[in-house]
């Protein structure tokens, strides 16, 4: 037998490499977007059709390519970013392997138009399955446009492997977010099926987060900042009270790349411990800058894991920085927080134990409680899961309150701005004002939804609400139910809605705010299988509209609250299953005094 080994033709080698670089439209988009950043662009457009399966185009106003480079860029290992192996140690660009364009061109029909400022005329290249189809001069703006059509047209097995357009679009959005979050100074537009899905102008980081995730984020973010010899940390974390049940906005970047580091993720989550329920996830947008020599850059382009040399020290610094930010910004008068006079942490010696900077956090701090009055703290156990009772269950409970008992008028007093004390012929009642009010609103809205759906209050001027893409989808799912309880909502396009009417219970200006926080709470509260969607929605609305513990009430308000509570069908328990009142019968008290 003769020799058997042959070199694979480039087109085949490229297709094999493509399997690693381009799994789906989103991975191709990532490569194209990162190239625009490397090319120094300031305005970048991402255009997709059919979730990138039929068209994926990226247009930038960056440096462009010469006529020769326009051809060269599709060759394997063709890169302008490194020349020697040593360059790898100081890599600052996103790409450097020179594989992406060669891979993409091997499994799609690609049209490249590019022009440098110094050139009179640009170049147009058409390439299909690694095969050059045409090259011609073209009149085009400075910068580069790469259109990738019919991804995997020549690899049907891979094409069939793609997920639904909805899911592939989700992956695309995620890649877009990652690039946009790390380059707030660049303007991005994302077109889906000829419509703008996201448009974010050049801005600072906070504004970028708000532009991508929606206006509510404006109030939710706490800055994180820490400079040490080893690492510089910047970014934002979400306030503990906005932690979500779904792992939502958690972004971690190192030297301008999105990275997953389960270890450092733990450092952040750990800093939130005790402040958020154990099954909730904090939002974070954390950016690390380290010396490129201290990380392993020779990672695969699609891998997002990263290796740090000094991972233990970085863990301690990230943990301390996040904890410090939470402490500084929760503005609680009872929070006992000691700032390190100087957070410059010296590089520890090789075998030296690392002592994380110590910060004292008040373990009683409860982010769910609005402490308008520092005196009004009610013990609250974050971990105690509250069992939600169904209407039937609650109705079958023996009520503490017998219907014939009537509290004497003006005999309600408020204690610690949270508890109402009153008594009837049979005993003393201690009422939790917030839980009680939730019950009252809940029954009123339930009643309204059942008997006069749509009973509402017209807004003088309709209010506009703009939601994040995700929230808008969720809102659309719940829209009918919102309307049943008295909202009048018109779709305004582009994730915006016009609010024409709100339930009679809401004050005017609360509408948009109410919808946003109700959506948030619908996201976080797992759908209770025992209760209907309507009950869940009304429960969330009641939670939001209720008077909070810590609020001082006027005598009239207290009297009314007690009267309305006792008029409820199920006065003892809040819609979430928490007690609204405690009763101490007189006999029990008398007994106690006898002994
Ligand atoms: P890498 O980014 O790893 O160098 P790519 O295959 O992504 O490899 O790109 C190959 C080369 O093509 C780049 O090094 C760069 O010189 C050029 N290039 C790619 N995209 C652009 C762009 N949008 N603008 C200017 N040059 C580009
Ligand atoms: Mg690249």
């Amino acid at each position: 037998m003769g020799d058997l080994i042959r070199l694979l033709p480039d087109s085949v080698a490229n297709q094999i490499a493509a399997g690693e670089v381009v799994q789906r439209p989103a991975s191709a988009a990532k490569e194209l977007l990162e190239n625009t950043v490397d090319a120094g662009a300031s305005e970048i457009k991402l255009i997709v059709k059919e979730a990138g399966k039929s068209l994926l185009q990226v247009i930038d106003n960056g440096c462009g390519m010469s006529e020769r480079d326009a051809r060269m860029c599709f060759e394997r290992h063709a890169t302008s970013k490194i020349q020697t192996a040593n360059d790898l140690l100081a890599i600052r660009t996103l790409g450097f392997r020179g594989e992406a364009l060669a891979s993409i061109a091997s499994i799609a029909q690609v049209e490249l138009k590019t022009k440098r400022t110094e050139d009179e005329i640009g170049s147009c290249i058409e390439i299909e399955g690694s095969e050059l189809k045409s090259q011609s001069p073209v009149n085009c703006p400075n910068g580069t446009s790469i259109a990738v059509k019919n991804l995997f047209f020549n690899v049907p097995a891979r094409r069939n492997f793609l997920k639904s357009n909805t899911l592939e679009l989700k992956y695309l959005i995620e890649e877009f977010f990652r690039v946009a979050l790390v380059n707030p100074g660049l303007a991005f537009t994302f077109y889906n099926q000829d419509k703008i899905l996201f448009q974010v102008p050049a801005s600072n980081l906070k504004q970028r987060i708000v532009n991508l995730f929606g206006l509510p984020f404006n109030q939710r973010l706490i800055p994180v900042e820490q400079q040490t010899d080893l690492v510089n940390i910047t970014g934002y974390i979400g306030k503990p009270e906005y932690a979500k049940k779904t792992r939502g906005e958690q972004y971690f970047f190192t030297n301008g790349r999105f990275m997953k580091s389960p270890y450092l993720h733990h450092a952040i989550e750990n800093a939130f411990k005790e402040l958020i329920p154990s099954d909730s996830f904090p939002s974070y947008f954390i950016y690390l800058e380290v010396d490129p020599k201290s990380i392993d850059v020779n990672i695969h382009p699609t891998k997002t894991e990263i290796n740090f040399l000094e991972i233990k020290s970085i863990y301690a610094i990230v943990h301390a920085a996040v904890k410090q930010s939470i402490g500084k910004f929760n503005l609680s008068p009872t929070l006992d927080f000691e700032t390190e006079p100087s957070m410059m942490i010296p590089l520890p010696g090789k075998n030296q134990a690392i002592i994380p900077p110590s910060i004292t956090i008040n373990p009683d701090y409860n982010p769910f409680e609005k402490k308008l009055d520092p005196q009004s703290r009610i013990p609250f156990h974050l971990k105690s899961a509250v069992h939600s009772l169904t209407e039937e269950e609650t109705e079958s409970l023996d009520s503490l309150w017998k219907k014939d008992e009537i509290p004497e008028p003006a005999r309600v007093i408020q204690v610690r701005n949270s508890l109402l004390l009153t008594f009837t012929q049979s005993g003393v009642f201690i009422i939790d004002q917030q839980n009680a009010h939730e019950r009252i609103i809940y029954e009123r809205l339930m009643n309204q939804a059942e008997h006069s759906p749509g009973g509402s209050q017209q807004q003088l001027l309709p209010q506009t609400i703009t939601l994040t893409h995700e929230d808008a989808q969720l809102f659309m799912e719940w829209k009918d139910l919102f309307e049943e309880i008295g909202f009048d909502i018109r779709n305004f396009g582009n994730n915006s809605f016009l609010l024409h009417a709100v339930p009679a219970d809401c004050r005017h200006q609360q509408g948009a705010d109410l919808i946003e926080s109700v959506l948030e709470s619908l996201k976080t509260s797992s759908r209770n299988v025992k209760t209907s969607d309507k009950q869940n929605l009304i429960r969330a609305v009641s939670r939001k509209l209720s008077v909070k513990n810590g609020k001082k009430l006027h005598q009239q308000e207290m009297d009314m609250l007690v009267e309305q509570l006792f008029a409820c069908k199920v006065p003892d328990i809040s819609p979430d299953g928490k007690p609204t009142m405690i009763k101490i019968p007189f006999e029990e008290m008398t007994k106690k005094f006898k002994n």
Side-chain angles (χ1 to χ4, degrees):
M1 245 208 273
D3 296 337
L4 296 176
I5 297 176
R6 263 168 295 162
L7 277 176
L8 288 173
D10 270 358
S11 57
V12 179
N14 285 342
Q15 258 192 38
I16 294 169
E20 288 169 31
V21 182
V22 186
Q23 289 94 9
R24 50 178 17 100
S27 32
K30 168 182 185 274
E31 295 296 336
L32 297 178
L33 289 171
E34 290 188 344
N35 280 345
T36 70
V37 176
D38 286 344
S42 63
E43 271 177 43
I44 297 147
K45 293 192 182 89
L46 169 63
I47 300 166
V48 308
K49 284 190 179 150
E50 285 183 68
K53 292 174 188 170
S54 61
L55 176 73
L56 181 73
Q57 184 175 14
V58 173
I59 304 174
D60 69 56
N61 63 350
C63 64
M65 285 178 257
S66 69
E67 193 193 338
R68 174 189 167 273
D69 285 357
R71 231 176 17 248
M72 275 293 286
C73 71
F74 293 108
E75 297 289 329
R76 213 136 81 91
H77 305 306
T79 179
S80 54
K81 299 168 194 173
I82 54 169
Q83 287 177 356
T84 69
N86 263 349
D87 293 347
L88 274 174
L89 296 176
I91 197 92
R92 282 284 178 187
T93 53
L94 294 164
F96 56 84
R97 300 166 65 105
E99 264 179 346
L101 291 185
S103 298
I104 293 171
S106 73
I107 42 111
Q109 296 150 349
V110 177
E111 186 195 73
L112 162 72
K113 285 182 183 164
T114 187
K115 180 174 126 34
R116 301 181 300 179
T117 331
E118 63 262 43
D119 295 334
E120 283 283 303
I121 194 108
S123 315
C124 176
I125 300 258
E126 285 180 299
I127 187 164
E128 195 176 304
S130 294
E131 212 177 292
L132 186 70
K133 291 281 167 190
S134 75
Q135 172 162 25
S136 52
V138 69
N139 240 328
C140 61
N142 292 334
T144 303
S145 155
I146 300 186
V148 178
K149 294 172 203 162
N150 303 320
L151 204 65
F152 299 129
F153 80 104
N154 54 353
V155 203
R158 303 288 307 280
R159 196 173 169 87
N160 296 337
F161 185 72
L162 294 178
K163 301 277 181 355
S164 70
N165 284 0
T166 318
L167 203 56
E168 293 295 344
L169 183 65
K170 210 179 132 200
Y171 293 136
L172 277 165
I173 293 175
E174 192 50 40
E175 288 300 346
F176 175 77
F177 279 175
R178 291 174 185 178
V179 177
L181 278 171
V182 93
N183 297 289
L186 313 184
F188 291 88
T189 315
F190 185 160
Y191 297 84
N192 175 39
Q193 304 292 103
D194 294 322
K195 283 204 203 101
I196 292 182
L197 194 55
F198 295 97
Q199 181 157 43
V200 290
S203 64
N204 60 24
L205 176 60
K206 184 170 184 193
Q207 208 49 51
R208 171 60 46 96
I209 297 173
V210 171
N211 286 335
L212 289 175
F213 297 101
L215 260 186
F217 269 79
N218 219 352
Q219 284 111 53
R220 292 183 196 172
L221 300 173
I222 305 174
V224 178
E225 189 136 17
Q226 196 60 258
Q227 316 233 320
T228 69
D229 291 349
L230 200 56
V231 56
N232 284 346
I233 307 174
T234 50
Y236 290 89
I237 50 172
K239 292 183 184 164
E241 60 261 47
Y242 294 107
K244 294 181 176 181
K245 285 265 154 54
T246 48
R247 208 176 273 272
E249 294 80 24
Q250 299 191 329
Y251 293 90
F252 196 82
F253 303 93
T254 305
N255 290 2
R257 284 163 199 273
F258 173 82
M259 288 296 166
K260 284 194 184 118
S261 169
Y263 192 63
L264 295 181
H265 169 77
H266 184 263
I268 300 171
E269 292 224 308
N270 216 12
F272 276 89
K273 225 167 86 186
E274 315 275 285
L275 295 176
I276 62 175
S278 58
D279 56 350
S280 294
F281 302 98
S283 307
Y284 59 79
F285 307 86
I286 297 284
Y287 297 73
L288 303 189
E289 281 292 329
V290 294
D291 183 338
K293 288 195 196 73
S294 73
I295 48 173
D296 176 9
V297 290
N298 205 5
I299 38 166
H300 193 274
T302 58
K303 291 232 174 82
T304 46
E305 280 86 26
I306 188 166
N307 291 328
F308 293 90
L309 286 178
E310 306 272 359
I311 186 76
K312 287 215 170 108
S313 317
I314 294 181
Y315 182 102
I317 299 167
V318 168
H319 181 259
V322 171
K323 217 159 173 173
Q324 186 181 47
S325 292
I326 300 173
K328 244 194 234 165
F329 279 83
N330 83 54
L331 300 175
S332 158
T334 51
L335 189 81
D336 177 17
F337 174 76
E338 283 166 24
T339 322
E340 292 283 300
S342 151
M343 276 291 287
M344 285 308 290
I345 297 173
L347 278 172
K350 265 251 145 36
N351 300 315
Q352 199 179 321
I354 291 139
I355 305 152
S358 71
I359 286 163
T360 322
I361 296 267
N362 182 345
D364 287 341
Y365 165 61
N366 168 12
F368 302 116
E369 199 178 276
K370 281 222 170 86
K371 271 188 239 87
L372 303 175
D373 170 0
Q375 291 296 309
S376 71
R377 209 119 51 82
I378 291 179
F380 181 100
H381 302 290
L382 292 173
K383 298 255 159 71
S384 78
V386 180
H387 170 58
S388 301
L389 296 173
T390 63
E391 262 337 73
E392 294 69 44
E393 276 175 321
T394 37
E395 270 177 63
S396 68
L397 287 172
D398 253 351
S399 182
L400 297 171
W401 162 252
K402 302 280 175 292
K403 294 284 178 217
D404 54 341
E405 289 182 282
I406 294 158
E408 305 199 6
R411 290 289 170 82
V412 185
I413 59 165
Q414 192 185 28
V415 186
R416 292 187 147 206
N417 289 346
S418 300
L419 299 176
L420 305 183
L421 301 191
T422 190
F423 60 89
T424 67
Q425 302 90 317
S426 64
V428 172
F429 286 81
I430 307 166
I431 295 167
D432 180 282
Q433 67 187 39
Q434 185 169 336
N435 291 354
H437 200 213
E438 277 177 30
R439 161 55 59 184
I440 295 166
I441 299 174
Y442 178 83
E443 291 206 0
R444 205 184 289 151
L445 288 176
M446 270 309 232
N447 213 20
Q448 179 176 320
E450 265 145 40
H451 303 297
S452 61
S456 55
Q457 193 174 306
Q458 288 294 318
Q459 300 272 66
L460 282 177
L461 287 172
Q463 232 184 316
T464 324
I465 324 168
T466 306
L467 300 169
T468 62
H469 183 66
E470 187 198 350
D471 282 0
Q473 300 285 317
L474 182 69
F475 189 41
M476 291 303 289
E477 268 176 49
W478 289 81
K479 190 164 166 278
D480 287 350
L481 279 174
F482 269 102
E483 294 191 330
E484 221 175 290
I485 65 168
F487 286 93
D488 179 358
I489 302 149
R490 314 276 160 83
N491 200 337
F492 199 50
N494 224 353
N495 301 336
S496 290
F497 301 87
L498 277 183
L499 191 56
H500 285 278
V502 296
D505 257 300
C506 307
R507 271 161 291 136
H508 278 289
Q509 71 283 11
Q510 271 188 341
D513 186 36
L514 175 68
I515 287 174
E516 275 163 17
S517 46
V518 167
L519 286 175
E520 199 56 52
S521 120
L522 290 174
K523 265 189 272 179
T524 49
S525 61
S526 50
R527 278 195 182 179
N528 190 333
V529 275
K530 283 192 189 165
T531 53
S532 68
D533 280 351
K534 194 201 293 176
Q535 283 171 332
N536 279 334
L537 176 69
I538 295 183
R539 200 182 274 177
V541 174
S542 322
R543 257 197 303 266
K544 173 69 188 165
L545 286 179
S546 63
V547 54
K548 300 295 177 286
N549 283 335
K551 173 138 177 36
K552 188 162 174 45
L553 299 181
H554 295 296
Q555 188 63 50
Q556 236 183 341
E557 294 172 313
M558 288 187 252
D559 294 345
M560 191 127 90
L561 201 140
V562 171
E563 195 187 307
Q564 289 176 344
L565 177 67
F566 287 164
C568 280
K569 276 208 294 203
V570 189
D572 310 86
I573 288 178
S574 83
D576 286 329
K578 292 179 227 160
T580 56
M581 57 168 104
I582 299 166
K583 178 183 178 179
I584 310 166
F586 281 129
E587 307 92 81
E588 243 174 63
M589 278 188 266
T590 342
K591 253 191 259 161
K592 285 212 158 80
F593 289 117
K594 291 220 167 106
N595 205 314

